[in-house]
Amino acid sequence: MISQPDGTFPRAVCLLKRCTNSEAVLTVRSCRPDAVFNNGVAITSGLRVDAHTQIQVARYGPGSNLMSLMNVLPLVDPLPGRSRLAQGLAAAVRHWHNLPGLPRPRRWAEQSLLLLAMQDTDNSLTLHGRRGPFGHRLTSRQGEPPSPAWLPQLHTLARRLAEQVDGAAFDVPGNWLNRPSTGHLVGGCVMAACPADGVVDPYHRVFGHPGLHVIDGSVLPANPGTNPALTITALAERATAHWPSAGTCDPRPPLAGTDHP
C-alpha cells in the first residue's frame, strides 16, 4: 500500500491488481411453503458445465434473511443493443405478481438456493485508494481482460432449478447495470521463491519484513477457477504447521532479503 510521508494517501493511487474467478451469483427461491433448503453445510454440490465453468450450490443459515434484499430483481438475459436495466424493469412489470411475495425477507434463507458460478479465465479488478470528503475509501474498476457481465450457463441452470423447486430465479442489482461482482479476489501478494517475483515466500513470510505473514487469498499466484476457500484453508494450515513453538528453533530456512527468519 502506497502512502505519503505523513501516512496519508494521495487523492488517487492505484493499490494493486487482483485476479477474480469470473464469479457470478444468482438466487433461486421456491414458492413451496414447506421448502427448507438450509439444513447442512453452506456449500454443497458442484457441477462443471463446460471446460472453464463450475457452478456450486450454496445456502445461507438461519438469521440470514436480510440477504434477500440483494436478490430481488427478475433474471434477464442481456440483448445486443438494448439496455439491460430497461429489460429488467420490463420483466419486473411482466412478473409483478411475484414481487410482493418472493423477495420478502421472511423465510428467505430456508426457501432459497444460491448458485455460484466461477471460471478459470484470466481477468482482474484494479483497486484504488481514494481520498474523498469523508476520508479514505477503496474503489475498483475492471481490469484487462475484464470480468464477464453475465454467464449464460448460469442463467440456464438457474431457470432449470427454478422449475424443479416451483420457484423463480433472481438477480442482484449490479448485474442489471452490467457491473459484475465477485466474492473471491485472489493475487496481489503472491507467493514466490524470491522478492523479485513475489511478496511472500513459501512459508507466507513477507520478504524483508521478519515476523509479518500474509495468509489469505492474496497469496494465490493464479485463478484456481473454483471456490478458493479450501485452497486458502490448506495453505493456512500448512503455514501455521511450520511455525516454531515457543522456546524452539525455527525449522524454516532463512527469509530471503533479510538476515532473520
Side-chain angles (χ1 to χ4, degrees):
M1 185 173 293
I2 306 171
S3 65
Q4 305 275 36
D6 61 359
T8 62
F9 292 103
R11 183 165 298 277
V13 56
C14 176
L15 294 181
L16 56 125
K17 182 177 180 180
R18 304 292 298 272
C19 298
T20 77
N21 55 0
S22 303
E23 186 175 17
V25 182
L26 299 179
T27 300
V28 173
R29 184 170 185 176
S30 175
C31 296
R32 301 171 186 169
D34 59 342
V36 179
F37 299 135
N38 63 350
N39 291 331
V41 297
I43 298 178
T44 60
S45 56
L47 174 67
R48 185 166 290 278
V49 296
D50 58 39
H52 300 285
T53 308
Q54 184 183 73
I55 300 177
Q56 293 180 325
V57 181
R59 49 197 174 187
Y60 282 110
S64 304
N65 293 331
L66 283 180
M67 293 294 294
S68 65
L69 301 180
M70 297 179 58
N71 301 268
V72 298
L73 304 180
L75 183 63
V76 295
D77 296 345
L79 298 176
R82 294 188 58 185
S83 166
R84 192 171 175 186
L85 176 60
Q87 289 179 247
L89 294 175
V93 172
R94 290 195 304 269
H95 301 284
W96 63 269
H97 54 281
N98 284 336
L99 296 182
L102 286 177
R104 70 188 185 281
R106 185 174 181 272
R107 297 195 64 212
W108 177 85
E110 298 177 29
Q111 299 172 339
S112 298
L113 292 168
L114 278 77
L115 298 178
L116 310 177
M118 292 151 284
Q119 294 184 322
D120 59 6
T121 53
D122 182 21
N123 53 61
S124 64
L125 291 173
T126 300
L127 304 183
H128 288 260
R130 297 184 180 275
R131 188 177 64 197
F134 303 104
H136 299 102
R137 62 191 180 94
L138 190 65
T139 61
S140 64
R141 60 177 175 82
Q142 286 274 35
E144 290 294 337
S147 299
W150 74 296
L151 298 176
Q153 309 93 318
L154 177 60
H155 284 216
T156 299
L157 183 61
R159 292 190 174 99
R160 290 181 178 178
L161 180 59
E163 293 176 359
Q164 293 293 320
V165 300
D166 298 328
F170 292 88
D171 211 340
V172 295
N175 290 342
W176 273 18
L177 301 174
N178 289 323
R179 294 180 178 177
S181 58
T182 182
H184 300 105
L185 293 174
V186 298
C189 295
V190 297
M191 183 183 297
C194 64
D197 297 327
V199 177
V200 301
D201 75 347
Y203 299 93
H204 296 254
R205 299 173 297 183
V206 178
F207 292 119
H209 296 273
L212 179 61
H213 296 71
V214 177
I215 307 178
D216 62 9
S218 65
V219 304
L220 299 182
N223 171 22
T226 186
N227 194 318
L230 293 179
T231 301
I232 296 171
T233 300
L235 289 173
E237 290 187 350
R238 176 187 176 278
T240 54
H242 285 88
W243 283 3
S245 301
T248 64
C249 296
D250 193 339
R252 300 169 297 183
L255 176 63
T258 179
D259 296 331
H260 305 281

